[in-house]
Amino acid sequence: MVKRRVVVTGIGAITPIGLNVNEFWEGLISGRNGVFPITHFDASKFDTQFAAEVKNFNPELYFDKKTVRRLDPYAQFAIASSVQAINDSEVNLDKLDKDKAGVIFGSGIGGLLTLQTEHWKYFQNHDPSVISPFFVPMMISDLAAGQISIRFGFKGPNYATTSACATSSHAISDAFMLIERGSSDFMICGGSEAPITEMSVGGFNAMRAISTWNDRYWKASRPFDKDRNGFVMGEGAGALILEELNHALDRGAKIYAELVGIGLTADAYHITAPSPGGEGAARSMKIAIEEARLLPQDIDHINSHGTSTPHNDINETKAIKTIFGDHAYKMVINSTKSMTGHLLGAAGAIEAIATVLTIKNDIIPPTINLDNPDPECDLNYNPHKATNKEVKTAISNTFGFGGHNASLLFKKFEE
């Protein structure tokens, strides 16, 4: 089978540092911090009282009031980012073969706020009649993908991925493979998350996974810094349009970058901790590079998983050194989570968008808050300020609880 080439022709983003791609990118390169005290609920009794919330999102820009009430925030973010991506792609939907257009859109948790709200309603009343008839379709993780396909009439492949923090990188990978093999020509893919609720924050506090720096919350997301003590939860969504190259060229589409390799592996080690030395992460990068028919020294930049947790940052650094050797010290690496927080199932999508824009603009966003580098994290993580540098090839890494690893390799488009 001859593999078809796959390009990125549209992007959309709802994030803690911007409600569209332009705002998101401007926030990234300027080092905007999206972390503030939690406003979604009273967090005063929680060990963590801050997060990276989406601010000033108006769902009525995308839906009527009736529809808003029937969509969990995670689905609102997903559909809104997809609308942006479709508009950005400038595709003529009337001329698009919708049997060959699909949607793969993931969420690590899905409609957690809806689940929590309906749970409370029942146990406060002990009356099943109070449960909303929209409870299930608002909650389940696949409904964002279904809603997006209904909105645009796309009748090709349609499903959700769920693999914790690797969720949306897996969605992008699946869309890539479907286009490669000829099952689809045009795909909306990405991920969405709205996890800033009592149960989620409480659960991650119980795991001791998120930072508790309430007195200096704006400094709490600090990947690769020796003082880090956990990730900062974020919310939002990212959507990408992946398109078969000739399909894109025939309609005169603008092309942001080409997706040339994916690496998908499992640690098979522990439910939350990465395998020692980042062995699974190293293999995912190696596979992506080999699929792209490149060499490690061809890679210019890595948008790291970079969670600001003690184990991830050290093990990802070790994985990079394993694959790249001396070249690891020549690359510019960053963690955009230092600004956006960790969007869990949406992280891979917004970080893939950041990687694509880095290639398009030849600007590498900074890692903010990297004040005291961990001695075991001794690579160039681009602290504090953006770097102007030609970037021809770049990898976006995402690794999730359960030992899921995904690496996406993007390249400047050349015919």
Side-chain angles (χ1 to χ4, degrees), residues 380-391:
N380 178 4
Y381 304 107
N382 208 33
H384 306 305
K385 292 183 179 181
T387 295
N388 292 280
K389 181 182 186 296
E390 184 179 23
V391 179

Side-chain angles (χ1 to χ4, degrees), residues 52-280:
E53 296 177 337
V54 168
K55 301 289 189 183
N56 303 314
F57 175 70
N58 180 5
E60 291 179 25
L61 294 175
Y62 302 92
F63 319 98
D64 59 47
K65 291 182 179 180
K66 182 178 179 181
T67 302
V68 170
R69 292 194 297 270
R70 296 179 177 180
L71 292 171
D72 186 90
Y74 101 93
Q76 294 178 19
F77 296 156
I79 299 166
S81 66
S82 297
V83 169
Q84 290 181 16
I86 285 287
N87 291 340
D88 184 49
S89 76
E90 298 181 337
V91 66
N92 186 333
L93 293 174
D94 293 331
K95 294 183 178 180
L96 185 65
D97 181 356
K98 294 181 181 177
D99 288 345
K100 298 280 282 185
V103 182
I104 304 178
F105 218 94
S107 181
I109 302 175
L112 184 59
L113 179 62
T114 295
L115 176 62
Q116 181 177 286
T117 300
E118 296 299 317
H119 180 99
W120 282 349
K121 282 169 56 179
Y122 172 75
F123 284 102
Q124 285 172 345
N125 296 277
H126 293 281
D127 178 1
S129 69
V130 303
I131 299 172
S132 169
F134 296 100
F135 166 49
V136 171
M138 288 176 67
M139 174 197 68
I140 53 180
S141 297
D142 70 303
L143 253 291
Q147 292 275 11
I148 294 164
S149 73
I150 292 167
R151 179 141 185 164
F152 298 111
F154 289 1
K155 297 182 178 181
N158 178 242
Y159 56 91
T161 53
T162 298
S163 48
C165 310
T167 290
S168 48
S169 290
H170 279 135
I172 294 166
S173 296
D174 281 13
F176 170 73
M177 290 187 284
L178 287 165
I179 295 173
E180 264 197 333
R181 63 176 286 175
S183 297
S184 185
D185 294 328
F186 187 98
M187 296 291 296
I188 303 174
C189 54
S192 182
E193 210 78 88
I196 304 173
T197 71
E198 291 91 334
M199 291 303 296
S200 183
V201 173
F204 280 112
N205 272 155
M207 291 177 64
R208 299 183 179 179
I210 53 178
S211 175
T212 54
W213 279 18
N214 296 316
D215 60 337
R216 41 190 166 158
Y217 59 83
W218 60 94
K219 287 281 191 179
S221 189
R222 46 195 314 108
F224 307 108
D225 189 278
K226 70 178 180 65
D227 298 321
R228 67 194 183 281
N229 77 329
F231 74 85
V232 175
M233 194 178 300
E235 64 179 351
L240 297 87
I241 304 299
L242 297 190
E243 195 167 351
E244 191 274 324
L245 174 58
N246 290 323
H247 188 275
L249 293 175
D250 287 347
R251 68 178 187 86
K254 68 177 178 294
I255 295 174
Y256 284 97
E258 183 173 2
L259 180 53
V260 293
I262 59 173
L264 310 175
T265 67
D267 287 349
Y269 173 71
H270 189 272
I271 57 172
T272 57
S275 55
E279 181 272 338

Side-chain angles (χ1 to χ4, degrees), residues 243-405:
E243 195 167 351
E244 191 274 324
L245 174 58
N246 290 323
H247 188 275
L249 293 175
D250 287 347
R251 68 178 187 86
K254 68 177 178 294
I255 295 174
Y256 284 97
E258 183 173 2
L259 180 53
V260 293
I262 59 173
L264 310 175
T265 67
D267 287 349
Y269 173 71
H270 189 272
I271 57 172
T272 57
S275 55
E279 181 272 338
R283 283 188 294 111
S284 72
M285 289 185 281
K286 181 175 185 288
I287 291 167
I289 293 167
E290 289 175 348
E291 180 172 0
R293 298 184 179 180
L294 297 172
L295 298 172
Q297 57 265 35
D298 294 324
I299 308 305
D300 300 312
H301 164 62
I302 296 176
N303 186 309
S304 71
H305 189 51
T307 57
S308 187
T309 57
H311 291 301
N312 173 87
D313 296 358
I314 289 174
N315 281 287
E316 187 172 9
T317 298
K318 290 178 179 178
I320 292 169
K321 291 179 181 179
T322 296
I323 297 304
F324 294 95
D326 291 342
H327 185 65
Y329 293 90
K330 299 175 183 177
M331 292 187 294
V332 181
I333 301 164
N334 71 347
S335 173
T336 49
K337 289 184 181 72
S338 62
M339 294 170 275
T340 66
H342 191 345
L343 273 67
L344 306 180
I350 69 158
E351 290 163 19
I353 291 169
T355 305
V356 164
L357 291 173
T358 293
I359 291 171
K360 178 179 182 290
N361 296 307
D362 290 321
I363 303 174
I364 302 173
T367 302
I368 68 169
N369 297 327
L370 182 49
D371 302 321
N372 303 298
D374 187 323
E376 293 190 69
C377 301
D378 60 346
L379 302 178
N380 178 4
Y381 304 107
N382 208 33
H384 306 305
K385 292 183 179 181
T387 295
N388 292 280
K389 181 182 186 296
E390 184 179 23
V391 179
K392 293 182 178 179
T393 56
I395 290 174
S396 180
N397 280 335
T398 46
F399 314 128
F401 284 175
H404 314 298
N405 306 302

